[in-house]
Amino acid sequence: MRRIAASQQRQRLAQRGQVLLIMLVILVMGVGVAFYTFVSPTGSATERDKITAAALAQAKEALIGYAAGISNFTGGYRPGDLPCPDTNDSGFFGSPNCNTQASRIGRLPWKGLGLPDLRDADGERLWYAVSNNFKKDTRTSCILVGQLGYFVGAEAGCLNSDSRGTITIRNSAGTVIYDGSNPDQYTPSGVIAVIFAPGAVLQRQGSVSPQDRSCTNAGGSCTAAGVCNSSPTTNTAKCNPVNYLDILSGVEDNANFTDGSNSDGFINGVIRNASGNVILNDRLIVITYQDLMPLLQRKVAKEVLNCLSAYAASNNGRYPWAADVTDLSYQDTNNTRFGRIPDGISGNLLTRTVTTAPTMTDRWPTAGTECNMIRGTAWNNWKEIVFYGVADAYKPVSGLPVGGPCGGTSCLLVNPPSSLVDKRVVVTVAGKRLSAVSGGQPRTSVANKQNPANYLEGTNVNTPTSYTYEVQPISTTFNDFLLYQ
């Protein structure tokens, strides 16, 4: 019994020793890991980069959602409008506008966008700059001129598929990667907006002291809530971009930019001098044409299709005539099943439709919100590049409901994606001009605007009696966006 007890005791001691050894190994490994994490700049930088990248990505998503999500077209709101920067650190949109270059750079208006108080890895709020072409207040001018109401020289002020971002971006090597001067008229190379993570305080090149991010400077001050209340707000250090955004001497100063310049934009990344000291630590994320424009085209097509559907719902399922592509007054045209949208400038809008079918109404629906865009001034931005076609079975006919199932060419064909001739109506939003298409799709003269081949591609370049359309992937020779029913 004593031998058994002694054996059990030795076994327990051995097990206890193993446990202690394992705990010691774990402790040593833990200390080693902790020590490595503490001293390793790579591990630390990775985690910090993740924090900053997540904040930037969330801000970008919110801005794109704002620009593509506006549904109230009263007051001239346009798909694509982006808010003015926050210039006083209130968290709200800049007030009253951002018509000057200096007012188009400031903090991200996180409260106005419904975001949490986003911060980078150094605890700093994000900054933001917007291209003049996409700012909401005050909007660039898109005004109809001439007796017929077509555009002559006003296209630059419109926000549509032909719009361009105007901000230049360089990488950390100083190479231009987005050119706001847009030297290639077919390539939207400038960016629409930029979001900055300003990073920790540095001493800007050429400055005698580190960046000052306090509330008192040059007579400036803040409210108890930390809102800059000087005039201008840049008199307060906390609201002056030079105290957050850095400079690479002779290359770029991130505290300001010039629309449409390829030499005065922004530079991204962590840059060190010859001594290894960080001289620029601004991290950027951008909103490009490719990020935003497809969403705007979809939104416009959906708004137009909703309006057409609302009209048909109260008119025996039938749609109005289109405006002939050669008629730049945008009036509905007898027996025209393909063309532009009768735009609804004033009074009785669809007079040719009701001449054909007196039982059909002569205007877009006013109840509900389905036709707000077409009836509003925002429509001026898109009316030239939106087309639609209506099937023969759904064209204006007096007093008759829509007939039986589609047959022959009585309905529309959208192939690809389907070989079925079963569509009632097609809305097509033209993309930007394509250099690879014959003639380069010019859109400046009256004759240019009367030719649908300068806007559409493939079988979408239709005629009043055609019934065929197509959806294709975006390429150098096709970029139409279609919705249909």
Side-chain angles (χ1 to χ4, degrees):
M1 294 294 292
R2 289 179 180 176
R3 285 196 297 269
I4 293 173
S7 174
Q8 291 175 339
Q9 185 176 9
R10 285 195 297 271
Q11 187 176 4
R12 285 195 297 269
L13 288 172
Q15 289 173 342
R16 187 179 302 171
Q18 289 174 354
V19 170
L20 289 172
L21 179 61
I22 291 170
M23 290 178 65
L24 179 61
V25 170
I26 291 172
L27 179 62
V28 170
M29 289 178 63
V31 170
V33 170
F35 178 74
Y36 176 78
T37 302
F38 180 78
V39 301
S40 169
T42 303
S44 176
T46 299
E47 294 305 314
R48 292 169 61 79
D49 284 348
K50 287 180 180 178
I51 293 170
T52 296
L56 290 171
Q58 189 173 358
K60 175 177 177 175
E61 182 180 5
L63 285 166
I64 290 175
Y66 179 93
I70 293 176
S71 59
N72 178 8
F73 295 100
T74 60
Y77 287 167
R78 310 173 299 183
D81 278 338
L82 281 166
C84 290
D86 166 17
T87 56
N88 65 357
D89 200 20
S90 65
F92 292 102
F93 305 142
S95 178
N97 54 51
C98 47
N99 291 335
T100 65
Q101 194 82 55
S103 63
R104 287 197 288 279
I105 183 170
R107 282 187 174 83
L108 180 77
W110 57 277
K111 289 182 181 178
L113 292 167
L115 287 169
D117 187 1
L118 296 178
R119 307 266 179 153
D120 65 16
D122 291 288
E124 295 292 350
R125 285 178 173 153
L126 305 182
W127 286 66
Y128 156 67
V130 62
S131 166
N132 184 55
N133 288 348
F134 288 81
K135 73 181 191 313
K136 182 167 78 75
D137 295 317
T138 302
R139 297 172 182 87
T140 51
S141 177
C142 185
I143 301 172
L144 294 174
V145 294
Q147 290 183 339
L148 294 179
Y150 51 78
F151 296 103
V152 178
E155 291 88 346
C158 298
L159 200 172
N160 57 35
S161 299
D162 284 325
S163 298
R164 299 290 186 270
T166 54
I167 301 175
T168 291
I169 303 293
R170 298 177 186 272
N171 63 19
S172 58
T175 303
V176 172
I177 53 176
Y178 296 102
D179 190 344
S181 65
N182 202 36
D184 178 356
Q185 60 182 324
Y186 294 101
T187 303
S189 54
V191 303
I192 292 169
V194 186
I195 307 133
F196 310 81
V201 169
L202 295 177
Q203 185 165 320
R204 280 169 53 98
Q205 288 184 294
S207 178
V208 297
S209 58
Q211 292 166 321
D212 178 6
R213 300 179 178 180
S214 68
C215 274
T216 56
N217 184 49
S221 61
C222 297
T223 67
V227 177
C228 301
N229 60 3
S230 58
S231 182
T233 55
T234 51
N235 281 349
T236 303
K238 183 186 181 187
C239 290
N240 193 327
V242 300
N243 291 317
Y244 294 83
L245 306 178
D246 309 324
I247 184 172
L248 184 62
S249 295
V251 181
E252 289 287 8
D253 184 349
N254 284 351
N256 58 63
F257 75 106
T258 301
D259 279 295
S261 168
N262 70 346
S263 60
D264 186 12
F266 302 108
I267 188 167
N268 177 44
V270 175
I271 300 174
R272 299 175 183 271
N273 62 15
S275 302
N277 298 318
V278 176
I279 57 175
L280 187 144
N281 64 356
D282 300 336
R283 305 299 293 269
L284 317 181
I285 194 170
V286 300
I287 297 176
T288 66
Y289 180 98
Q290 292 77 12
D291 289 328
L292 183 58
M293 195 54 65
L295 300 177
L296 303 187
Q297 292 164 348
R298 173 181 288 276
K299 181 169 185 61
V300 170
K302 183 178 179 181
E303 293 290 334
V304 172
L305 187 59
N306 286 346
C307 181
L308 287 165
S309 298
Y311 180 90
S314 58
N315 286 276
N316 293 318
R318 297 186 176 276
Y319 300 86
W321 295 123
D324 190 278
V325 293
T326 63
D327 182 2
L328 297 180
S329 65
Y330 297 85
Q331 300 300 306
D332 55 325
T333 306
N334 287 339
N335 301 313
T336 300
R337 294 193 292 105
F338 166 78
R340 291 186 171 98
I341 307 295
D343 75 345
I345 291 176
S346 62
N348 296 331
L349 314 177
L350 306 170
T351 54
R352 280 71 176 270
T353 294
V354 298
T355 298
T356 302
T359 57
M360 295 179 69
T361 54
D362 60 0
R363 66 195 69 200
W364 297 116
T366 55
T369 61
E370 292 86 354
C371 294
N372 276 358
M373 183 177 180
I374 290 178
R375 294 200 312 267
T377 57
W379 184 237
N380 286 346
N381 293 271
W382 291 89
K383 58 185 290 185
E384 183 180 307
I385 62 175
V386 179
F387 298 78
Y388 100 104
V390 57
D392 187 68
Y394 292 83
K395 68 185 180 183
V397 176
S398 183
L400 294 178
V402 174
C406 295
T409 60
S410 63
C411 289
L412 303 178
L413 170 68
V414 183
N415 186 28
S418 171
S419 60
L420 297 176
V421 185
D422 62 349
K423 308 301 186 294
R424 294 171 286 167
V425 61
V426 173
V427 174
T428 309
V429 178
K432 66 180 179 65
R433 295 187 298 149
L434 297 174
S435 60
V437 174
S438 178
Q441 297 185 309
R443 300 175 183 178
T444 54
S445 70
V446 171
N448 293 159
K449 297 174 189 296
Q450 292 173 322
N451 182 359
N454 290 329
Y455 299 84
L456 307 175
E457 295 83 50
T459 58
N460 298 332
V461 183
N462 232 302
T463 69
T465 57
S466 179
Y467 74 104
T468 60
Y469 298 83
E470 63 181 291
V471 175
Q472 297 285 359
I474 292 177
S475 68
T476 58
T477 57
F478 187 99
N479 66 355
D480 299 340
F481 181 84
L482 276 71
L483 285 182
Y484 45 83
Q485 289 181 340

